Amino acid sequence: MKTLFFFIAFLLIFPANSSFALFKPVENLEDTQIKRLVISPFDSTSVYTTSKNSLYQSQDSGKSFEKVSVFKDEEVQHLFFDPYFANIVYIVTSRHLYRWEEKLEVLFSAPDEEFIYSAARHKEKIYVGTNKGLYFSFEDALIWHKPKNSIEATVYYIEPANEQVYLATDRGVYSLSGDDRFKRLFVVRRQEEEDAEEFVPRIIKVDIFDKNRLWLGTSRGLYSSLNSGKNWSKVYIGGLGSLFINCIAQTKLQNDVLYLGSTRGFFKVNFKRKSSKQIFEGLHSSYIWWVTFTQQGIIYLSTSKGLFQETYFTPTANNNFRELAAKEPSIYEVQQKVLQYNEVHPDKIAKWRKRLKFRALLPDLNLDYDKTVTYDSGSDKYYIGPRDWGVSLSWNLADFVWNSYEDDIDTRSRLNTQLRLDIIDEINRVYYERLRLKNEIAISSLTKEELFSKKLRLEELTAIIDGYSGGYFSKRIKKLNEQQQ
């Protein structure tokens, strides 16, 4: 009877659909200290993870990983996917910001005695946070500057959100507006006692359910704001008071729950129940660098002793949707075709810059055909000779240092970037709305009127993408369907 009582109590406290089983280590990773893991927002099968100095890639939803790059004499700090373009990953190391798209490209190098902690992409700008403040550049120009009224602070984390960019720094929390002006939202006061534990904001996150709510993870606990950073309060739940927080994570599969990766383990915070619980089953380390949820409910923990995963939620499979998506060109393929058709692909600006480098080597060529005139001083006469060809070449040495056309390219690249982002936003919206609509048509019981209306909207969305791609989208769908028949 007593055994039955404890069994029932266990089920009530830990429901079957929301409790962790045993974390399992992810195999085939050579390194043990795993810093980050990210999943593509465009293709869930594309997964990247990093160790202290290596980048790993998976194209099968994390079942197997391949090492694709090694960083010498620098340590990986952060990793994130481009929010606008598929298959582009940014790697933040202590010395450089890299962009990975089949090959590694250096975007930013830290000045001497500076250390990079974080980076982020927001609209047309890329931001880099170092121990000497914040840098930014337009995505195409890659000319780095510090914003107006720049702050001399160590920027540990950058969180883009709507029209703001939030910064977690050693001097507090700042917001950066569209005109590149800082506003301090949270002040850090220095400890006067030498033996006092330093208070440092390490990570800031915008709540995925409430855009006005901010979460701040510090070296001494969790803080929250309900009004976009105007007022803050410390979260006193369970043992979170002095927790050193490395990561804050949420999943759309669960409301009122926050997950924390810390130096003392992995914690689940339930605000509805006002409780916190440390979860450690199967983990070999209590030092959690990063927490990542998939849309299907699989959770990955990047720890100091390896990468671990656990299926927390049991997803409801939708085979019909997968079949429909399989007969569509990928979002990346559509994006590339649309950018090429509308002549706003980043390669266009890159080719201009490459050609401009060789322009200074080419001379100005003058060709003339005229009579020659000769003066004889002895007879004080002019003699008009036969017509003859003349060729002259000239170089402008200043063009080797600075070419005035660079200003034109910078201006056009900014306009090109803004137009490209607008087009990509529209294509992403239409593409995924179209897939959702196809899924609704396939699995829903609709009346004839509702079915006609949805099919008409489907044709409209198809026509929009065809308009952006010159008819490529429909032709590609037809070809994919023919191949699968």
Side-chain angles (χ1 to χ4, degrees), residues 208-473:
I208 64 175
F209 300 104
D210 181 0
K211 64 181 181 180
N212 294 318
R213 187 167 193 174
L214 300 178
W215 299 105
L216 179 63
T218 76
S219 59
R220 294 170 63 183
L222 178 68
Y223 290 76
S224 71
S225 171
L226 299 176
N227 49 16
S228 301
K230 295 178 182 178
N231 303 102
W232 294 87
S233 61
K234 190 169 185 178
V235 178
Y236 289 98
I237 295 179
L240 304 181
S242 60
L243 199 65
F244 192 117
I245 298 171
N246 292 322
C247 177
I248 300 172
Q250 290 176 283
T251 172
K252 291 183 178 180
L253 300 175
Q254 213 171 24
N255 293 323
D256 298 317
V257 174
L258 206 65
Y259 293 91
L260 306 176
S262 76
T263 58
R264 299 210 309 260
F266 175 53
F267 289 80
K268 172 185 175 182
V269 184
N270 191 316
F271 290 93
K272 184 175 291 186
R273 297 180 181 178
K274 296 183 179 180
S275 65
S276 68
K277 180 178 185 295
Q278 183 177 4
I279 301 164
F280 53 84
E281 291 85 350
L283 295 176
H284 300 167
S285 171
S286 61
Y287 201 109
I288 312 299
W289 283 109
W290 204 247
V291 181
T292 307
F293 277 98
T294 70
Q295 293 182 354
Q296 294 76 25
I298 299 175
I299 184 170
Y300 287 93
L301 298 186
S302 304
T303 80
S304 61
K305 293 187 178 179
L307 180 65
F308 293 82
Q309 71 170 15
E310 207 276 315
T311 304
Y312 183 32
F313 299 92
T314 303
T316 302
N318 191 336
N319 294 325
N320 291 329
F321 177 79
R322 292 176 181 175
E323 291 174 5
L324 290 171
K327 295 180 181 180
E328 301 279 344
S330 69
I331 182 62
Y332 177 73
E333 181 181 346
V334 174
Q335 285 177 349
Q336 296 302 307
K337 290 297 179 182
V338 166
L339 295 181
Q340 291 170 4
Y341 181 75
N342 291 276
E343 297 186 350
V344 291
H345 198 281
D347 290 346
K348 181 179 180 179
I349 301 296
K351 290 178 181 178
W352 285 358
R353 294 188 184 281
K354 186 175 181 180
R355 292 170 183 171
L356 192 61
K357 292 179 180 179
F358 296 100
R359 186 182 182 279
L361 300 175
L362 300 177
D364 291 332
L365 173 65
N366 291 316
L367 182 65
D368 64 81
Y369 179 70
D370 203 352
K371 293 180 180 180
T372 58
V373 179
T374 306
Y375 172 71
D376 186 355
S377 59
S379 60
D380 193 25
K381 293 183 178 180
Y382 289 90
Y383 297 94
I384 300 176
R387 290 182 175 274
D388 198 4
W389 290 95
V391 179
S392 64
L393 302 175
S394 63
W395 283 266
N396 187 348
L397 296 180
D399 286 344
F400 287 92
V401 179
W402 173 258
N403 196 313
S404 60
Y405 287 100
E406 291 185 32
D407 289 333
D408 295 337
I409 291 181
D410 287 343
T411 302
R412 293 192 179 192
S413 69
R414 294 183 184 182
L415 297 174
N416 190 67
T417 297
Q418 187 58 55
L419 179 58
R420 182 168 70 251
L421 293 176
D422 292 341
I423 292 175
I424 288 297
D425 285 342
E426 178 68 7
I427 287 299
N428 289 348
R429 181 188 65 79
V430 174
Y431 179 89
Y432 288 108
E433 181 184 348
R434 188 178 177 280
L435 280 183
R436 284 192 293 269
L437 191 59
K438 286 189 69 176
N439 190 46
E440 290 178 14
I441 294 173
I443 67 175
S444 302
S445 298
L446 303 172
T447 64
K448 290 184 178 180
E449 292 77 11
E450 291 173 336
L451 185 61
F452 174 79
S453 177
K454 288 186 179 294
K455 285 187 175 181
L456 190 63
R457 177 58 177 165
L458 187 68
E459 290 298 321
E460 180 184 357
L461 295 175
T462 304
I464 292 174
I465 301 180
D466 274 338
Y468 276 102
S469 62
Y472 171 84
F473 187 66

Side-chain angles (χ1 to χ4, degrees), residues 9-26:
F10 178 84
L11 292 179
L12 291 174
I13 297 173
F14 304 105
N17 64 344
S18 63
S19 62
F20 283 88
L22 188 69
F23 274 100
K24 296 180 181 179
V26 176

